[in-house]
Amino acid sequence: MDAASQATAARGERVARLKDFFARNLRSYDLREDEDIFKLGFVSSLFALQLVEYVESEFSIEVADEDLDLANFRTLAAIASLVERKHAQSRAA
Amino acid sequence: VATPVYAAAHEETGARLGLTRLQEERRAAVRAFVVQRVAPGADAWDRDQRLPPDVIAAVAERGWFGAGLGEEWGGLGWDAVSSGLLHEELGRGCASLRSLLTVHAMVCHAIARWGTGEQRARWLPRLAAGELLCGFALTESAVGSDAKSVATTVTETPAGPVLAGEKRWVTGGQIADVLLVLARSGAGPTAYLVETDREGVERTPVRDLLGMRASMAADYRFASCVLDGAARLGREAFGFSHVFAHALDLGRYTVAWGCVGLGQACLDACSTYVREREQFGAPLMEHPLVQALVTDMIVGVQAARLLCLSAGQQRDRRDPGALVKTMMAKYLASKVAARSASDAVQIHGANGCGPAYPVQRHYRDAKILEIIEGSSQILQMVIARHSG
């Protein structure tokens, strides 16, 4: 498998894990990758905290102050991209 | 004054509770300290409405102000269960002393989680050592549970951010060196670290509270208080949703364990009293309706302890479900503490209403525990909304 295919597969796997977390917490709503979770009204203040906690522990990253941008958490795809960026940052470091 | 009894009445400990040897050793060390240095003085501190500086210093010497902080910051790096046991044991001896550690841990946790590298380096080592003490400044005269509606403001000026407003019921506020303050900036509720010796900061001791009278609470007024540029903790507008919410989550957890300790203290007191006190020619324990009260206490305390332990284990696994589990633990444990304390006074009768027995202190302290770090009603609403 070439690097591009590997990256795509890794991204797909991240999205699947995130989807599973949302399904468990949103009473089986089948969230699409590009759906805006804030517009859907799913995000209570408690869920926002749970989401940060989940993303950190599940993907072994630290969500820093500067990452607390709604755009980073708006969709499954955005969260997966954040995780990808954080992993890339830690690899570079 | 009756000596508090540490009979370990009906208490599950150690391996039976699923604790590791290390956790049990830590608990034993705290318990020994509480038996020797805390419980014997707690009633007098309650009457004096202050904690002795040497006891606070002794807690600091043992590193317990930084128990849950990472070792890289000078903390002990204890896991959540160990930290919970620390609060249970302290809460068993003195709810006021325990409350000081709770608010301190909340602010440390907020700095460790959301602080910049500079803020962490500046504050955490001295906070972990207990050289500086923290206060948690959220509540205002008109703002309690609806914390996002704080009226205290921060305005950007050429001289720096200017804090103006007031905060009430700041636990440990009489001796705090730094406060975590929630204030409204242009963008929304934002968290700030404010030194209490800063110009424009004025504190007034709060006396004669219903309970936790030795917690040395204070009210604060900020009159055009200019902050330094590094005062903001976390992003603007994320002060409540993330910084304070994280701190409150930890506070809820430690308060929950403190409630277990208070419930156990009631059980300890009653366990001896019902065997020694005779009425109608028989020890109180022989009377079925007293047995019913004692049974509710035993079962309630045990159930609350297990729920706290479950929350702690989830926290140690970094399970996102720990947030709601912690709320459940605090909700149940505070109810158990209040009920146990009420029943303990009932069992002690007139003796329970006087200063010679600690149960009247537990009764007054327990009521406060149903209000702080999320009132029972707020917790009921959130737990119900997030039920599966």
Side-chain angles (χ1 to χ4, degrees), chain B residues 251-270:
Chain B
R252 225 167 267 137
Y253 177 69
T254 61
V255 168
W257 276 105
C259 291
V260 174
L262 190 148
Q264 183 66 46
C266 292
L267 198 47
D268 295 339
C270 290

Side-chain angles (χ1 to χ4, degrees), chain A residues 27 44 56-57 63 65 68, chain B residues 113 235 238 318 386-387:
Chain A
R27 300 203 187 106
S44 65
E56 288 189 329
S57 62
V63 176
D65 194 29
L68 281 185
Chain B
R113 180 65 188 80
R235 288 180 74 131
F238 283 80
R318 297 206 61 189
H386 287 82
S387 61

Side-chain angles (χ1 to χ4, degrees), chain B residues 235-289:
Chain B
R235 288 180 74 131
E236 261 193 300
F238 283 80
F240 185 75
S241 64
H242 288 75
V243 181
F244 271 70
H246 264 277
L248 285 165
D249 169 53
L250 179 67
R252 225 167 267 137
Y253 177 69
T254 61
V255 168
W257 276 105
C259 291
V260 174
L262 190 148
Q264 183 66 46
C266 292
L267 198 47
D268 295 339
C270 290
S271 183
T272 305
Y273 192 82
V274 295
R275 284 169 177 78
E276 291 177 350
R277 173 87 169 170
E278 291 194 1
Q279 292 292 289
F280 305 105
L284 290 184
M285 195 53 176
E286 301 298 319
H287 299 285
L289 294 182

Side-chain angles (χ1 to χ4, degrees), chain B residues 42 74 80 86 111 122 147 160 180 209 223 226 268 275 305 310-311 314 321 327-328 339 344 356:
Chain B
L86 166 70
I111 297 171
R122 177 181 175 190
L180 181 63
L209 287 166
V226 181
D268 295 339
R275 284 169 177 78
R305 182 178 287 117
S310 172
Q314 275 186 267
M327 289 183 179
M328 292 180 191
R339 172 73 187 271

Side-chain angles (χ1 to χ4, degrees), chain A residues 70-81:
Chain A
L70 294 187
N72 283 331
F73 291 91
R74 195 172 294 286
T75 64
L76 294 179
I79 303 169
S81 298

Side-chain angles (χ1 to χ4, degrees), chain B residues 24-42:
Chain B
E24 190 52 37
E25 283 170 7
R26 288 168 174 165
R27 177 213 273 271
V30 182
R31 179 171 298 181
F33 174 79
V34 169
V35 169
Q36 210 174 25
R37 301 286 301 273
V38 178

Side-chain angles (χ1 to χ4, degrees), chain A residues 21 24-25 27 42 44-58 60-70 72-73, chain B residues 112-114 116 120 148 232-235 238 240-242 245-246 249 315 317-324 327 382 384-388:
Chain A
F21 172 73
R24 274 186 278 126
N25 285 278
R27 300 203 187 106
F42 284 156
S44 65
S45 54
L46 178 65
F47 185 72
L49 280 183
Q50 287 178 315
L51 181 57
V52 170
E53 197 66 21
Y54 169 77
V55 168
E56 288 189 329
S57 62
E58 181 72 13
S60 304
I61 62 167
E62 188 183 335
V63 176
D65 194 29
E66 61 270 17
D67 302 319
L68 281 185
D69 187 328
L70 294 187
N72 283 331
F73 291 91
Chain B
R113 180 65 188 80
W114 299 111
T116 60
R120 290 171 180 168
K148 279 185 234 176
R232 195 183 79 215
L233 186 66
R235 288 180 74 131
F238 283 80
F240 185 75
S241 64
H242 288 75
H246 264 277
D249 169 53
R315 296 174 80 87
R317 291 197 303 271
R318 297 206 61 189
D319 179 340
L323 283 152
V324 177
M327 289 183 179
V382 179
R385 278 204 296 261
H386 287 82
S387 61

